[in-house]
Amino acid sequence: MPALDHRSPVMVSPANGRAARVLQITDPHLMADTEGSLLGVRTRDSLDAVVQCARNEYGEPDLLLATGDLAQDASEAAYHEFARQVSVFGCQSSWVAGNHDDSELLSEIARHYRAAGRHLLLGQWQVIMLDSSVKGQVHGHLESEELAFLEGALAAHPERPALISLHHHPVEIETQWMNPIGLSNRDEFWRVVDRFENVRGVLWGHIHQDLDLYRGKVRLMATPSTCIQFEAGSTDFSVERQAPGFRWLDLGSDGSIDTGVVRATDFRYDLDTNSSGY
C-alpha cells in the first residue's frame, strides 16, 4: 500500500445527507498481553464494552477519531488489537498518538488500516487531527510542523467549520495534577486557532474525564477513557468509580455541534483506588 501523507485531505461523505456523525474513542491503554490490566481494569475488555455500547447507543458513525494512548505498552500487538475491535464500524478512522504511544509505529500501523489521514473533509466540515505526543515525555507539545499543518488546513478551507482534535488538553483544568502534563505550548496553539473564525470545536483525550465548556465561541470537549477514570477536581493522582465511555458528536451543516458522553454502565470491574499512579 502506498504511503499516505497525513496532510492530504481525505473526503468523507455523511450518509443520507444528515448531520455528520463522529465517534471519539480515547485512551484505551491496550497491551500486548491479552490479560493486561490497568489498576484492576482489563483494558481489552473495557474497550470491548465501550465499542459494543457505542454500536447499540449511537449506531454507525461517519468518522471514528482515536485520540491517543491507544496502547499502554506501545506494542504492535496492541495497535492491531485496537484495529480489530473498532473494525465493527465500517467508517473512515483517524488515529493520533498519546504519551504512552510510539508515534512512528502507530502511524505505520494506522496507514495499514487507512487510519493515518489527519485532515478529514467530512460533509461540509473539516476535522484536523494533531499529534501532540513527545517521545519519552508525559506532557504534550505541538512542533512547528504540526502548527503549520493546522494553519495551512484552516486557511485552505475557510468556508468549512472546523473541529480540531489532539491528545493533550490545551487549557487549564480543575484537576490540578494534570495541568503540568497538558499541552506545553498552548499559547502558540491558540494564536493559530484565534486567527480563524471557522474553528467551532477543540476535542481531546488524556484527562480520562468528561469536560464540555467554551472558550469564546469555540467549544472545548474532553472525553472519558475506555478504561480507568481520573477523579475530576483532584489535586493529586486519583481515580474514581465511573464506567468507561465514549463521546458522540453530530456536526450540523450550520456549523453547530450536538454532542454527549455515553458510558458503558453494564461493564463490571474491580478498580484499585489506592494507586498513586501507573
Side-chain angles (χ1 to χ4, degrees):
M1 179 182 300
L4 171 70
D5 183 342
H6 71 262
R7 296 165 296 187
S8 300
V10 177
M11 299 294 298
V12 184
S13 299
N16 303 321
R18 55 165 166 69
R21 311 197 79 186
V22 177
L23 171 65
Q24 183 200 12
I25 289 180
T26 194
D27 297 87
H29 291 269
L30 298 174
M31 307 173 203
D33 181 359
T34 59
E35 301 298 315
S37 66
L38 196 63
L39 305 189
V41 178
R42 291 175 57 180
T43 59
R44 292 192 180 202
D45 291 348
S46 58
L47 175 59
D48 178 70
V50 169
V51 167
Q52 297 310 317
C53 178
R55 288 189 73 195
N56 293 336
E57 298 292 332
Y58 189 57
E60 179 71 16
D62 301 304
L63 176 64
L64 185 150
L65 303 180
T67 51
D69 283 356
L70 307 191
Q72 170 68 12
D73 58 4
S75 67
E76 183 174 347
Y79 297 130
H80 286 297
E81 173 63 14
F82 179 79
R84 185 191 69 80
Q85 290 211 29
V86 300
S87 67
V88 298
F89 302 108
C91 65
Q92 175 72 45
S93 294
S94 179
W95 307 355
V96 289
N99 51 286
H100 286 275
D101 290 309
D102 180 324
S103 181
E104 291 185 5
L105 178 60
L106 183 149
S107 296
E108 178 184 337
I109 296 174
R111 283 194 293 273
H112 177 77
Y113 292 104
R114 300 187 182 278
R118 296 202 275 113
H119 188 196
L120 297 308
L121 302 183
L122 175 61
Q124 298 182 44
W125 280 71
Q126 61 177 321
V127 179
I128 303 165
M129 296 281 276
L130 302 175
D131 186 349
S132 60
S133 64
V134 181
K135 188 173 183 178
Q137 301 294 326
V138 181
H139 72 268
H141 185 86
L142 292 172
E143 298 293 340
S144 58
E145 292 84 358
E146 286 295 290
L147 292 170
F149 163 55
L150 171 62
E151 183 175 7
L154 291 171
H157 299 279
E159 78 288 355
R160 288 179 177 265
L163 175 68
I164 302 166
S165 190
L166 67 167
H167 181 67
H168 294 84
H169 48 297
V171 294
E172 294 276 307
I173 62 173
E174 292 183 355
T175 306
Q176 296 178 24
W177 65 270
M178 295 206 74
N179 283 323
I181 59 173
L183 188 67
S184 64
N185 60 333
R186 62 191 63 167
D187 289 345
E188 292 181 74
F189 169 74
W190 287 113
R191 275 197 292 271
V192 174
V193 172
D194 289 344
R195 290 179 47 215
F196 295 92
E197 293 291 332
N198 55 328
V199 178
R200 297 290 187 269
V202 179
L203 176 70
W204 63 87
H206 191 49
I207 67 173
H208 290 226
Q209 56 193 250
D210 177 14
L211 183 147
D212 191 343
L213 49 83
Y214 281 86
R215 180 186 181 275
K217 296 181 180 180
V218 179
R219 194 166 186 174
L220 309 179
M221 298 158 284
T223 299
S225 164
T226 69
C227 58
I228 64 171
Q229 311 305 312
F230 297 150
E231 183 178 9
S234 56
T235 301
D236 300 309
F237 180 90
S238 181
V239 292
E240 60 182 348
R241 296 184 185 279
Q242 284 216 68
F246 67 92
R247 179 178 291 279
W248 59 269
L249 304 97
D250 285 357
L251 307 180
S253 58
D254 60 353
S256 63
I257 300 175
D258 188 18
T259 186
V261 162
V262 179
R263 296 182 185 268
T265 53
D266 292 340
F267 179 67
R268 297 291 178 260
Y269 55 96
D270 186 16
L271 181 66
D272 176 9
T273 58
N274 297 316
S275 175
S276 58
Y278 62 87

